[in-house]
Amino acid sequence: MPSSPVKRFDYRALPSRVLFGAGRRHDTPDEVRQLNCVRPLIVSTPEQSELAGNIAALFNPPSAQRFCEAAMHTPWDVTSRALAVVQEAHADCLIAVGGGSAIGLAKAIALRTGLPQIAIPTTYAGSEVTPIIGETRDGEKHTRRTLDVLPEVVIYDVELTLTLPVRLSATSGLNAIAHAVEALYSVDANPVTSIMAEEGIAALAAALPAILDDPSGLDARSRAQYGAWLCGTCLGSVGMALHHKVCHVLGGTFDLPHADTHAVMLAHVVAYQAIAAPHALQRVARALQADEAWRGLHALTSRLGVPQSLAAIGMPRDGIARAAELVLEQTYANPRTPDRESVKAMLERAWCGARPQTDLS
Ligand code: NAD
């Protein structure tokens, strides 16, 4: 039974076909055929060009071209080079293989060409199931929501996550948990996404420590991928709040690594929200099997050995006041109304790696 009252809500399911399971990458050529396509362009980061080659090799006769220059935050110069390749190759669909960077590039191409997409995610960031695109042009990152960028097909093949380094597995998993936490207290929260959020957090919280102990264990890796799918679906369905705003500002202004920033900030923001979202955070605590949500998250990040401070991931101390100001500009709907001093105090604590605190004022 839901622990919070069921109130008026809107719910919209997003159209996407999801294939899940070990070895499912071998279904890729069939999925291309089902889209009535014959000339796919495979996109990846340079680090995953070999994997892109392996996916290309599944096509017989060989029909897939590759573009392996995807980069974090979807820079426009990369997208424009990729668009030229799409044209030259007469590509009629896109296959993104990799994390949020590869998937972001395919979305950027789809936005300009209308080509259908198959996403084969290899991290836990969740972009493959969202209608969200963030692009960087002239040094500024702009994010928008449009169904035009939602991949038509998502293939979760756990075997492709076995190479994800332990540290990135942990931070990427915490990035996913952050989507579900904010979905639970979102202004658009609804019973369906809340069920997915709680299940997603529980799956990842169980899987991430097990991955740390045995990175090649298929069961824990599958559980993490299942959790990432649920958490990503939450991100795609409802609006995010203060935590995502803070991470957006820190990543965009100080070029901090995306998943690390989420990992450092999550317990701090959840402690900040504690008085304003008790029912939602009770569900987070239940999923984490903790007495309080922020304590459960703090314990999880400590257990996973991820960075514990903004200082450790490259944030300059003299940037804190500026960051607090930017967080309050066009702030997202949030259970607790943020003010400059309390946000600054939270960032100060996160900067030096102090314990999260609930009564910041
Ligand atoms: P990423 O895609 O940049 O991947 C990080 C690094 O890990 C890359 O070098 C990549 O090649 C490598 N990698 C990925 N999977 C691997 C694997 N299985 N084995 C070995 N190496 C692997 O990182 P990310 O955190 O997945 O994505 C971050 C980007 O995604 C950011 O630009 C972020 O803004 C975006 N994002 C978008 C959404 C959305 O809904 N639009 C959601 C989450 C993240």
Side-chain angles (χ1 to χ4, degrees), residues 17-67:
R17 174 173 155 76
V18 174
L19 282 64
F20 191 99
R24 294 304 296 269
R25 65 187 177 284
H26 294 283
D27 291 334
T28 311
D30 267 353
E31 293 300 316
V32 167
R33 270 191 292 279
Q34 285 195 38
L35 290 170
N36 291 323
C37 296
V38 289
R39 284 182 304 280
L41 179 72
I42 302 173
V43 303
S44 77
T45 57
E47 296 82 7
Q48 288 181 289
S49 58
E50 194 182 328
L51 176 58
N54 294 342
I55 299 295
L58 299 175
F59 289 83
N60 186 16
S63 58
Q65 302 283 317
R66 278 187 287 160
F67 179 85

Side-chain angles (χ1 to χ4, degrees), residues 174-218:
L174 288 161
N175 183 189
I177 289 177
H179 307 329
V181 168
E182 297 235 284
L184 280 161
Y185 55 61
S186 168
V187 69
D188 316 311
N190 64 69
V192 176
T193 52
S194 295
I195 288 169
M196 289 194 279
E198 198 174 332
E199 171 80 356
I201 295 168
L204 278 157
L208 297 178
I211 290 172
L212 190 70
D213 295 341
D214 176 13
S216 58
L218 272 187

